[in-house]
Amino acid sequence: MNEQSNQHTVRAYNVELDQLRHLIRSITKLVRLQIHDAAASLKNEDVEMAREVIRRDMEVNKLDLQADEEIIRVIARRQPMARDLREIMTAGKIVSDLERIGDQARRVARLTLQFYDGDRSPPNQHMLSDIYSMSRYVDEMIEKAIDSFDNRDLDSAGEVIEMGLDLVDQFRSAIRRLSTFIMEDSRSVGYAVDIVLALRALERVGGHSKNIARYMVYMIKGKDVRHETTERLLQEMHTD
Amino acid sequence: MLWQSCCARNLNAVGKRQYRDIEDMNVNKPVEPTVLPVEEEMDQFAAFEKSGFTGTVGKVASDDPCMSAKNVDVFYGEKHAIIDVSVDLGRNEVLSMIGPSGCGKSTFLRCLNRMNDTIDICRVDGDIQLDDEDIYNKQMDVVLLRACVGMVFQKPNPFPKSIYENVAYGPRIHGLAASKTDMDEIVETSLRKAGLWGEVKDRLDTPGTGLSGGQQQRLCIARAIAVSPEVILMDEPCSALDPIATAKIEELIDELRENYTIAIVTHSMQQAARVSQRTAYFHLGYLVEVGETDDIFTNPQHKLTEDYITGRFG
């Protein structure tokens, strides 16, 4: 398709769509902060910061509801069609994924409370290193996924899909490293189980970012490739 | 084919005279082509130029066409109103035609039963076939054609006669009923098909003009189907109706599709999305895109179509 005209004849419609996009950016900003602070609370053994992450998840949930209300209002008032309809449907799905990313951040923050809020002796910090690196990595995935939405950019979406493949490798390597800790000291099994759950939460964050990237193909090209193989998905992203 | 049986009808001299009476009653009053304000036409032209239109996109052919238009051009004097339009009307399918004012959708619709013949300065070139027969053939009896390709207009236009007579008029001039019993049956069946029987069965002798707008429009539909058409053309049939009456007409269109082929011109994109299986988008006399309605409204292929249906025009 050729270059699109961006403005609707009804200006209020543009304003409503801009508000929805702005809301998505706000939720994104908040969940990225959640991921960052959850990992930082673990690193700094900061129980208060972890509690703040758990409390802020309520804000994410509120924004999730607010976005749904906006979407319903736009559909009811404007009866969107074609690219607008696809964008609004995609926005609804993105918001759901962002909300779930928020839930995963809360899981990581809970780990801080488990390890550092009480008399229990803390784990070896080396066991936690993969959580920090994976949290940075998934944060980058979220950023790229939302950039692809903002800029209607399939190249960024493709990068997110490829990063997702790399994230799976990182997750497996992290599990292997944890195994070595267990082999060295069987008393660390309890910690390792909790850390695996946190790693799994971060791996799911990557999964939600990949979902957002997949929606871009539908939003931009009108083709639903959510359940296609990664190869087919990347092929679709790289063809006009 | 139904069309062949329609052609077999023999319209007598009285019938032909009565048909002219119908024209006198403004049923078939010539409709002048829409003339756009200059600014609006300039906007449409600018959008068209920018789009780089190179020809109709989408599937113009139907697997089972009832009517088929090929390379149709329409001129109003010097004005080239329809430019090289080709599209099929699939049997038992609703085709909606959408587009901005002055795009030629009503003009094209009126070509399908030669209603443009009533406009002196109008000339139609190209080929339009109904069941493989050229409807612009010189031997074609347009009265019979218009019985086979019926039309419902924007404004309900019942005859100033009783409800019964409104429906019986067509069958009578076409000699479709041998007896009063036959005629009663045609009237009842037509009114039932138009979803009006239950509302008017006890007052068939009251004037059709006394009905509500929505009922009048359904009476016009009953009148069209009383002569057993194969195709029904509808030119913005709900634009003068309230939402409830509109919903009844839309429901009726869906039911009528089982027995008839329907082409509808509408300014309401939601209506096109609701009632039709295929949609055609016209712009400045060109058929820009035609395709499955679901695809047109979720993922149109042409920029002009997308800009129009998303309200980004001008």
Side-chain angles (χ1 to χ4, degrees):
Chain A
M1 192 160 308
N2 298 330
E3 189 195 338
Q4 304 280 337
S5 318
N6 286 320
Q7 298 301 304
H8 292 89
T9 308
V10 179
R11 269 178 277 174
Y13 193 178
N14 290 326
V15 173
E16 287 166 18
L17 286 177
D18 281 344
Q19 279 172 346
L20 184 59
R21 293 178 194 124
H22 179 74
L23 195 52
I24 288 177
R25 281 194 289 272
S26 301
I27 304 172
T28 306
K29 197 174 165 188
L30 188 55
V31 297
R32 287 181 64 194
L33 179 69
Q34 290 286 82
I35 295 283
H36 175 270
D37 284 1
S41 71
L42 206 51
K43 192 170 192 174
N44 303 328
E45 304 178 11
D46 187 341
V47 172
E48 278 314 307
M49 186 182 267
R51 288 207 176 98
E52 180 63 14
V53 170
I54 292 164
R55 190 199 59 76
R56 266 201 312 249
D57 190 47
M58 298 293 282
E59 286 177 37
V60 178
N61 293 346
K62 274 185 198 163
L63 288 174
D64 175 39
L65 293 175
Q66 193 184 330
D68 279 355
E69 281 169 16
E70 285 281 339
I71 288 165
I72 289 166
R73 196 176 302 128
V74 174
I75 290 172
R77 284 163 63 107
R78 307 294 174 194
Q79 291 103 43
M81 297 273 192
R83 64 182 293 208
D84 296 328
L85 177 63
R86 299 200 304 271
E87 181 175 345
I88 289 165
M89 297 308 288
T90 302
K93 287 179 178 294
I94 288 176
V95 170
S96 292
D97 276 291
L98 288 174
E99 191 274 333
R100 285 175 193 169
I101 288 174
D103 291 344
Q104 303 299 352
R106 193 183 56 200
R107 282 197 182 130
V108 176
R110 280 211 178 117
L111 201 63
T112 306
L113 299 183
Q114 273 174 257
F115 289 164
Y116 304 112
D117 188 21
D119 299 332
R120 191 180 176 190
S121 60
N124 181 343
Q125 269 289 344
H126 293 298
M127 289 179 81
L128 301 171
S129 61
D130 284 313
I131 291 179
Y132 311 141
S133 60
M134 272 178 70
S135 68
R136 283 193 298 274
Y137 199 75
V138 296
D139 177 58
E140 199 182 328
M141 286 178 75
I142 300 167
E143 185 184 20
K144 267 192 197 301
I146 295 300
D147 278 352
S148 73
F149 171 72
D150 273 343
N151 305 320
R152 302 178 70 86
D153 176 11
L154 276 179
D155 290 339
S156 297
E159 285 174 37
V160 175
I161 299 296
E162 278 161 3
M163 287 175 81
L165 298 173
D166 191 37
L167 183 70
V168 172
D169 289 341
Q170 287 185 34
F171 178 65
R172 286 181 186 146
S173 302
I175 299 293
R176 276 197 297 276
R177 271 190 290 277
L178 275 178
S179 309
T180 59
F181 281 108
I182 296 167
M183 281 187 272
E184 281 170 16
D185 181 0
S186 60
R187 285 173 301 175
S188 61
V189 169
Y191 295 122
V193 170
D194 290 335
I195 292 166
V196 166
L197 291 177
L199 290 169
R200 174 70 180 157
L202 292 171
E203 191 267 336
R204 287 314 310 138
V205 171
H208 290 300
S209 305
K210 269 167 61 183
N211 287 348
I212 294 170
R214 279 173 188 266
Y215 304 150
M216 291 308 113
V217 179
Y218 174 70
M219 187 178 90
I220 295 164
K221 299 177 98 175
K223 290 183 184 169
D224 195 342
V225 290
R226 280 174 300 162
H227 303 297
E228 299 283 354
T229 60
T230 304
E231 290 75 22
R232 168 86 186 78
L233 176 64
L234 288 170
Q235 189 188 9
E236 192 58 60
M237 284 174 165
H238 293 133
T239 53
D240 287 330
Chain B
M1 293 292 169
L2 204 56
W3 165 235
Q4 272 76 23
S5 68
C6 288
C7 290
R9 292 175 197 166
N10 190 9
L11 203 67
N12 58 30
V14 176
K16 284 192 174 167
R17 195 175 63 244
Q18 285 181 328
Y19 189 81
R20 280 194 292 278
D21 291 345
I22 299 175
E23 292 194 332
D24 288 346
M25 281 187 253
N26 287 340
V27 172
N28 296 334
K29 187 181 176 183
V31 174
E32 293 302 322
T34 311
V35 179
L36 285 181
V38 175
E39 276 182 13
E40 212 171 302
E41 190 164 359
M42 293 289 281
D43 281 350
Q44 288 190 25
F45 189 73
F48 185 76
E49 286 281 284
K50 205 171 150 191
S51 77
F53 176 78
T54 53
T56 305
V57 296
K59 194 180 166 200
V60 296
S62 168
D63 296 336
D64 180 17
C66 174
M67 288 196 88
S68 185
K70 286 194 176 63
N71 309 111
V72 173
D73 288 84
V74 179
F75 300 85
Y76 289 115
E78 294 295 307
K79 185 175 166 58
H80 201 166
I82 294 284
I83 303 144
D84 197 25
V85 167
S86 298
V87 65
D88 285 353
L89 268 70
R91 202 174 300 284
N92 301 117
E93 162 185 282
V94 181
L95 172 76
S96 61
M97 301 184 201
I98 59 170
S101 295
C103 69
K105 53 194 186 296
S106 288
T107 296
F108 182 73
L109 187 83
R110 296 169 68 83
C111 290
L112 298 176
N113 69 348
R114 293 184 53 174
M115 290 294 280
N116 285 328
D117 288 9
T118 57
I119 301 173
D120 292 337
I121 57 167
C122 181
R123 192 180 94 231
V124 179
D125 291 344
D127 183 28
I128 301 179
Q129 297 196 341
L130 172 62
D131 290 332
D132 301 325
E133 189 168 346
D134 180 10
I135 66 166
Y136 280 86
N137 180 333
K138 286 202 167 47
Q139 279 77 48
M140 177 63 59
D141 182 337
V142 292
V143 176
L144 284 176
L145 171 70
R146 288 172 197 161
C148 284
V149 185
M151 193 150 191
V152 176
F153 297 83
Q154 182 174 359
K155 199 176 156 206
N157 54 0
F159 304 145
K161 288 174 172 289
S162 69
I163 293 169
Y164 183 95
E165 281 304 316
N166 262 278
V167 183
Y169 205 96
R172 186 172 296 129
I173 65 169
H174 285 279
L176 295 180
S179 64
K180 173 80 167 68
T181 316
D182 282 355
M183 187 60 85
D184 289 349
E185 195 180 326
I186 290 173
V187 170
E188 181 177 338
T189 309
S190 304
L191 286 169
R192 277 190 193 281
K193 281 184 180 170
L196 197 57
W197 178 250
E199 294 164 56
V200 300
K201 63 182 178 189
D202 298 325
R203 47 175 173 147
L204 290 173
D205 55 347
T206 58
T209 47
L211 297 171
S212 71
Q215 287 173 326
Q216 284 187 25
Q217 194 63 300
R218 279 182 283 150
L219 178 62
C220 293
I221 292 172
R223 188 178 64 193
I225 60 186
V227 290
S228 302
E230 192 168 351
V231 181
I232 302 174
L233 310 177
M234 298 184 171
D235 194 355
E236 299 182 50
C238 302
S239 60
L241 306 182
D242 66 36
I244 305 283
T246 297
K248 285 184 181 172
I249 299 284
E250 288 181 4
E251 176 67 16
L252 179 58
I253 290 170
D254 202 42
E255 286 168 14
L256 291 174
R257 186 166 69 85
E258 282 183 26
N259 300 308
Y260 309 98
T261 298
I262 297 170
I264 178 172
V265 163
T266 177
H267 272 296
S268 162
M269 282 173 287
Q270 281 72 33
Q271 182 170 67
R274 286 191 297 263
V275 303
S276 65
Q277 286 70 54
R278 287 206 308 153
T279 296
Y281 172 67
F282 286 78
H283 189 104
L284 289 177
Y286 293 93
L287 175 57
V288 172
E289 183 166 356
V290 59
E292 299 290 324
T293 297
D294 290 348
D295 294 336
I296 294 281
F297 288 108
T298 57
N299 192 18
Q301 299 305 301
H302 202 282
K303 176 186 185 302
L304 281 170
T305 318
E306 176 125 80
D307 282 356
Y308 178 71
I309 65 174
T310 56
R312 285 181 165 85
F313 233 57

